[in-house]
């Protein structure tokens, strides 16, 4: 049983979430045996090469995920982070690998989606057009819209081989945090799996150590890097986990 996470008056909290935090909302994780990609090979749906080879399959896959996410609701873990942010304000920062919008719908504000957003689309070319909010489902090749430049519109998702978003801001926030809380991510995908190591490297002589916590039902690949691994489901562990000093 964990003693909980104490957030002192001067603490800055950096949160990293992965697919596990949305599992109790009914959205499958990637690498569990019933995972999202068991019916779809990753390379068939989540790479630039897949997009070139079969844009219809790629859009059908993300349309299915849009449909599933629209039917789901934030769970107590998403709400716990929104509540913590409402208590500590801009000393809270959330980086999610998830493309669903459940953190926002729970009330989180100071957050970035490093792997893109499910309800956003963008031009496949570098024409400079901004990403657009988009909840539409595209089930056939003829439904895929085109940009004013003539190129196709693709999901605003960071695929394997593409560079994660907002890395400068994320690194600044890791540099300023004194508490790191990582939830529901298997530690397979970098750079997110390295964040705990980057936080640990900040433990310079004479400075207080960054306290790092992992929360999930099983230890992640990088478990040994954390100050504490709290085993359990996010929706059961997170509510009541934080004690915030006024
Ligand atoms: N609460 C917390 N964690 C959970 C729960 C739960 N209820 N259920 C499962 N988990 C944990 C699993 O134990 C696993 O460690 O969530 C983790 C999910 O791991 P992955 O499926 O590998 O997902 P994630 O780490 O988010 O994947 C990272 O890989 O495929 C890419 O871009 C995609 O963002 C994704 C990235």
């Amino acid at each position: 049983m964990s003693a909980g996470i104490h957030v002192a008056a001067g603490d800055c909290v950096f949160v990293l979430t992965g697919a596990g935090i949305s599992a109790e909302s009914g959205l499958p994780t990637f690498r569990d045996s019933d995972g999202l990609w068991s019916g779809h090979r990753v390379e068939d749906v989540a790479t630039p090469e897949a997009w070139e080879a079969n844009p219809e399959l790629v859009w059908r896959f993300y349309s299915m995920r849009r449909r599933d996410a629209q039917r789901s609701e934030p769970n107590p873990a998403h709400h716990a982070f929104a509540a913590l942010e409402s208590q500590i304000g801009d000393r809270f920062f959330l980086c999610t690998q998830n493309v669903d919008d459940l953190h926002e719908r729970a009330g989180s504000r100071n957050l970035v989606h490093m792997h893109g957003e499910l309800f956003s689309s963008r031009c496949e070319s570098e024409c400079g057009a901004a990403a657009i909010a988009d909840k539409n489902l595209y089930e056939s090749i003829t439904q895929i819209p085109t940009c004013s430049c003539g190129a196709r519109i693709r999901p605003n998702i960071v695929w394997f081989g593409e560079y994660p978003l907002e890395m400068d801001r994320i690194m600044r926030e890791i540099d300023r945090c004194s508490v790191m809380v990582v939830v529901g991510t298997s530690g397979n995908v970098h750079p997110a799996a390295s964040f705990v190591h980057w936080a640990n490297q900040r433990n310079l002589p004479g400075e207080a150590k960054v306290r790092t916590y992992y929360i999930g039902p099983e230890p992640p690949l990088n478990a040994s890097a954390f100050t504490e691994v709290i085993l359990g489901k996010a929706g059961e562990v997170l509510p009541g986990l934080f004690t915030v000093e006024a």
Side-chain angles (χ1 to χ4, degrees):
M1 187 69 190
S2 169
I5 300 177
H6 182 68
V7 180
D11 276 331
C12 290
V13 179
F14 181 104
V15 177
L16 170 69
T17 62
I21 197 167
S22 295
E24 289 156 84
S25 294
L27 299 179
T29 63
F30 298 105
R31 290 172 186 81
D32 290 342
S33 54
D34 63 345
L36 189 60
W37 288 335
S38 53
H40 292 276
R41 294 195 316 147
V42 175
E43 53 273 30
D44 287 342
V45 288
T47 63
E49 293 76 20
W51 172 249
E52 278 312 310
N54 195 342
E56 178 175 301
L57 179 71
V58 171
W59 259 125
R60 284 203 347 247
F61 176 71
Y62 286 101
S63 295
M64 179 262 291
R65 293 185 62 188
R66 283 183 176 181
R67 198 181 292 115
D68 289 348
Q70 266 166 338
R71 289 185 188 135
S72 68
E73 296 293 336
N75 67 54
H78 299 101
H79 287 295
F81 283 128
L84 179 61
E85 182 175 359
S86 73
Q87 287 179 282
I88 67 172
D90 64 7
R91 291 186 290 123
F92 177 93
F93 178 78
L94 195 159
C95 171
T96 185
Q97 296 170 90
N98 299 342
V99 297
D100 67 57
D101 60 353
L102 295 178
H103 282 299
E104 290 92 324
R105 282 162 57 196
S108 289
R109 293 289 168 262
N110 198 17
L111 87 163
V112 299
H113 286 269
M114 66 179 291
H115 291 164
E117 295 181 61
L118 197 50
F119 297 109
S120 172
S121 302
R122 69 173 175 86
C123 178
E124 66 180 341
S125 81
E126 304 292 324
C127 80
I132 49 165
D134 186 5
K135 290 189 159 46
N136 293 324
L137 310 180
Y138 305 114
E139 311 280 4
S140 76
I141 190 103
T142 55
Q143 293 175 328
I144 300 175
T146 49
C147 179
S148 55
C149 77
R152 290 168 303 195
I153 295 291
R154 58 166 271 183
N156 191 15
I157 302 285
V158 176
W159 287 324
F160 287 101
E162 296 182 324
Y163 196 71
L165 306 175
E166 307 258 19
M167 281 309 295
D168 288 348
R169 184 167 172 209
I170 290 166
M171 285 160 78
R172 278 200 308 277
E173 293 289 348
I174 293 173
D175 266 349
R176 117 182 146 114
C177 78
S178 50
V179 178
M180 177 175 276
V181 183
V182 178
V183 181
T185 175
S186 58
N188 276 288
V189 174
H190 291 269
S194 299
F195 290 177
V196 63
H197 300 291
W198 297 348
N200 288 336
Q201 283 168 6
R202 294 191 45 239
N203 295 327
L204 303 172
E207 282 191 15
K209 279 177 88 72
V210 178
R211 288 172 289 139
T212 57
Y213 300 88
Y214 179 81
I215 296 150
E218 59 200 0
L221 273 184
N222 53 2
S224 63
F226 289 90
T227 312
E228 188 179 352
V229 172
I230 303 171
L231 293 180
K233 292 182 174 183
E236 294 170 5
V237 172
L238 277 161
L241 186 68
F242 299 99
T243 49
V244 179
E245 197 174 292

